[in-house]
Amino acid sequence: PKPIPGKPELERKLLPALVNKFGDPEKKVSSRLTHLLGTLVHSHPAMKPVVLAEVQRFVLRPNVGERAQYYATIFMNQMVLTRKEQHVAQTLLLIYLSLFATRSKESMQGRMLSALLSGIHRAVPFCESPGELLSKQLHSLFRCAHS
C-alpha cells in the first residue's frame, strides 16, 4: 500500500480522522485500525514519526477514554524499533510516561497498566538517555508496582 493515497494534502486530513477512530464505540473498528496503522508504518518506516505525532495528539487530548488510549497504546507497542530511530523511541517513551502520569491519578485498569509498562520496557533500550525521563516518574511507577 502507498502512504495514505499518495497525496500529502489528503494525508493531513485523513490521518487525524483515522487515528480518531481509536475512540470508536465498536471494538472491531479500533482493533482493525491498530492492525492497519501497524501495516502502514511497517511498510513505510518513514511514516512512523508522522503517524506517531498524530497518535500523540490524540491520546494526550483531554476527555479521551481509557479504551481509546488502550488501543492507541497497543498500536504503539507493536511498532518495530531500530537503533536508527532513537527519536521515535524517545517520543514513544514520552507518550507512555505522559499517559502513565495522567492515568495514575485516576484508577487504571490492569490491561492499560500492563500495556504502558510493556511499552516503556520496549522503548527504553532504543532511547539515548531514558534515565532522565524515567526518574521523574519513578515514584509513580514504584507506587503502582506495589499497590
Side-chain angles (χ1 to χ4, degrees), residues 71-91:
Y71 278 107
T73 302
I74 294 300
F75 160 70
M76 292 185 292
N77 285 353
Q78 292 173 353
M79 287 180 107
V80 177
L81 300 172
T82 65
R83 294 265 175 228
K84 297 175 186 173
E85 300 172 319
Q86 289 180 352
H87 62 286
V88 172
Q90 196 83 6
T91 304

Side-chain angles (χ1 to χ4, degrees), residues 86-99:
Q86 289 180 352
H87 62 286
V88 172
Q90 196 83 6
T91 304
L92 281 169
L93 187 58
L94 283 169
I95 296 169
Y96 293 137
L97 292 174
S98 297
L99 280 172

Side-chain angles (χ1 to χ4, degrees), residues 13-22 33 54:
K13 292 179 181 180
L14 195 53
L15 189 58
L18 281 172
V19 170
N20 201 44
K21 285 294 180 181
F22 278 127
L33 178 63
E54 194 56 48

Side-chain angles (χ1 to χ4, degrees), residues 3-118:
I4 308 176
K7 296 182 180 179
E9 60 277 1
L10 282 178
E11 182 181 301
R12 277 191 278 281
K13 292 179 181 180
L14 195 53
L15 189 58
L18 281 172
V19 170
N20 201 44
K21 285 294 180 181
F22 278 127
D24 197 276
E26 281 289 320
K27 291 180 182 180
K28 284 183 178 182
V29 173
S30 302
S31 180
R32 183 77 174 137
L33 178 63
T34 299
H35 171 73
L36 291 174
L37 285 178
T39 303
L40 175 70
V41 297
H42 180 72
S43 57
H44 300 283
M47 290 283 298
K48 280 183 193 176
V50 175
V51 174
L52 190 57
E54 194 56 48
V55 172
Q56 181 178 17
R57 275 191 286 280
F58 174 75
V59 297
L60 298 179
R61 278 191 332 219
N63 301 321
V64 173
E66 185 171 336
R67 192 170 60 85
Q69 288 178 333
Y70 173 74
Y71 278 107
T73 302
I74 294 300
F75 160 70
M76 292 185 292
N77 285 353
Q78 292 173 353
M79 287 180 107
V80 177
L81 300 172
T82 65
R83 294 265 175 228
K84 297 175 186 173
E85 300 172 319
Q86 289 180 352
H87 62 286
V88 172
Q90 196 83 6
T91 304
L92 281 169
L93 187 58
L94 283 169
I95 296 169
Y96 293 137
L97 292 174
S98 297
L99 280 172
F100 189 83
T102 56
R103 283 285 164 195
S104 65
K105 294 173 186 166
E106 308 165 12
S107 65
M108 193 180 329
Q109 290 183 5
R111 67 183 193 156
M112 183 64 172
L113 178 61
S114 176
L116 287 174
L117 291 175
S118 292

Side-chain angles (χ1 to χ4, degrees), residues 124-139:
V124 164
F126 297 96
C127 290
E128 196 169 298
S129 58
E132 298 168 24
L133 296 170
L134 289 173
S135 65
K136 294 176 185 174
Q137 294 294 328
L138 195 58
H139 182 67

